[in-house]
Every structure is written in C-alpha cells, then in structure tokens.
Amino acid sequence: MEFAITLKLDMPPTRSVALTKQAEEAGFRYAWVFDSHVLWQDPYPLLTLMAHNTQHMRLGTCVTNPAVRDLTVTASSLATLNLISGGRMDLGIGRGDSSRRVLGKKPTTLADLEVAALKIRALATGRPVTHEEQTVQLPWACQDTCGPTCEERCHPEPSLPIWIAAYGPKALHLTGRIADGVILQFADPALIKWCLGFLHEGARAAGRDPAAIKVMAAAPVWVADDLAYARNQVRWFPALVSNHVVDLLARYDQTMLPPELTQYVSARAGYDYQKHAEVGSSNAEFVTDDVVDRFCIVGPVEEHRRRLHELAALGVHQFNIYLMSGEEEACLEVYGSQIVPAFGSASKLVGS
C-alpha cells in the first residue's frame, strides 16, 4: 500500500509546502489538494510550489470537476505542471460538490465527467481533441520528449493518470471503463467491497483487467488513545460524505444502496457549505460515533495498522489521509515513523 495526503488550502502557502515536503520525507508517494476556489485557495499555484519543492511525489487535484474551469484551461495547467514536475501529475476529477454548491449550482452529469476526463488527458499529453466544434491541441505539452511538432510517437509518452471520485453504481461503472484509479471517500471495508463490485463490472464491460485499476481509500485519521477526542476531530468527514449520499438517494431507489452508506443521513438537518470540511462544525452534529469509526481511522497506532492491513487485503492500493483535522505535522510524524514503514519499503521514496 502506498500513502498520500490531501490538503485543504486554507493555510498559508508556506505551510502547505512544508507539509508536502514533510510527507515526502516520511515516505508518502502522493500529495493531493482540494479544488474549491471560492472556499479555499486556487490549487494550481500551490501545486506549482509543491512540485518545485519535492523530488518524487506524484501530485494532483482531489478533486476538480468539468465545470469549475473550461477543460482546456485545466488541461493546460496540468500539462504545464507536468513539465515543471518532470511528469509527476495526476488528474483527480468528479462531478463537483463544494465548488459548485457554494455558488448555488448543481454537480455536473456523468456524461460531462466522462467527456471532460478523456479530453483533459488527451490535451495534457499533446493529443488533439474536438472541443466545442473546434480542433484543439497543446503541441507543447510533450515538447520535452518529442519536440513541439509532435510528428512522431513520444518516447516516452507523456502521461496523465485519471482518478475518478465515485460513490454510486453508474459512476463506479464509468470509472471502471475509463479511469486509471478510483477515489473512494471512506475507510469502511464493507462499503469499499461493495464499490469494487461495480468498478470491476465496468472494467470487464470495457475489456479491461479490473486489477489494473488502482483503488484509493481517502479519509481523515487521528492517532490517540483518547477516542472521544479523536472522533470529534474527524467527525466532519462523514458529514462531508453525506452530501454525496443525499445526492445518491435522489437518483437511486434506496434498496439499491447499502444501508451502511445511507441510514446515517436520516438524522441530517442540512449542510452549510461555508463550514465545509471544518473541524467542530455544526454540520457534523448528526454523525454518531459508530459512523466515525467506520468512515475514518481513529485510535492508537496498533488500530491504524490493523485497519490499514484490512484495507490492503481488500485491494486498496493507496491510503490518502485527508490532512486537515489539526496537528497535521504530528500526524505525519507518527505515520512516517510508526505506520508507513509497517507496509514495506515500497512506500519509501529513497532511491526511487
């Protein structure tokens, strides 16, 4: 299993960069950032600083969406960052939540998501696409490997792996058809197993090997013996997930969805996006301890190791810590010294 962090860009940029550098030194292989430009800082200037201050980590959005920028802008930003970082960028993308909702807009459609993901990857790797009835190409996107004319096959080909954030059967099926990885926002083994069924079904329908699709479990963590305090630090996360659950319930018969995912939102009164992903927010008042324990990882070091080994056994390739619950430097220190090493030398970046 590889390890990652995701940052909510509400802190001074210097601290975001420092946390990224600390994570790389601790053996984390990925650093992601939220993309919600009204609530927090824009991701692309921060990703530029993160790329400049790291050597090996892969970097990306977790997640952007098809509507927050014209897809040619997103592609150009990621292509530029690929040149800056030496080809270390990934595209994390979904239908859109906070960056849309805070403006009073709805998430995009799955059809728009599919089109945008494929066009962004094509453009960011130097290939032409038809966009709004125009042929568009970023020939400079692969200039380091084949020159600006791109007349011959690139050696090596530039790449932009696609990770799609998905919850429902249709989104998971889509992810299995076209993506390199899936983003699952919880650490609940039962829910991850349920999701993998639809993911693999989509892969097989497209003639792909399901084992080739990487699986990310993303959630906040808190290492402590004081469970009451730990739970309160991460209780915001199931509240965040509830937005997606409510959206699923509007589009699916509840009997089609696992009760472990849907039942807890019945006590939800509403959600204030101005307090999105905020520790101690009133958004999370309806979230019970048992839901926190399933969706997040809390407790002493031994419990974190046990839960992570359980996820790895299910086929989770990457555990992504939503590093935004407080005491972030301490979290990285304990994970780097006591947890990441327990998952083998593959997590270490030295010599990679």
Side-chain angles (χ1 to χ4, degrees), residues 63-78:
V63 293
T64 190
N65 67 72
V68 69
R69 300 170 191 82
D70 185 272
L71 65 85
T72 62
V73 176
T74 299
S76 182
S77 297
L78 290 167

Side-chain angles (χ1 to χ4, degrees), residues 222-227 297-311 334-335 337-340 342-343:
W222 196 270
V223 183
D225 293 326
D226 185 343
L227 286 179
I297 301 183
V298 296
V301 166
E302 294 76 12
E303 176 63 6
H304 286 249
R305 290 176 183 159
R306 184 191 70 79
R307 290 285 305 281
L308 291 165
H309 279 296
E310 188 176 23
L311 295 180
V334 70
Y335 255 74
S337 62
Q338 300 184 54
I339 296 173
V340 171
F343 290 82

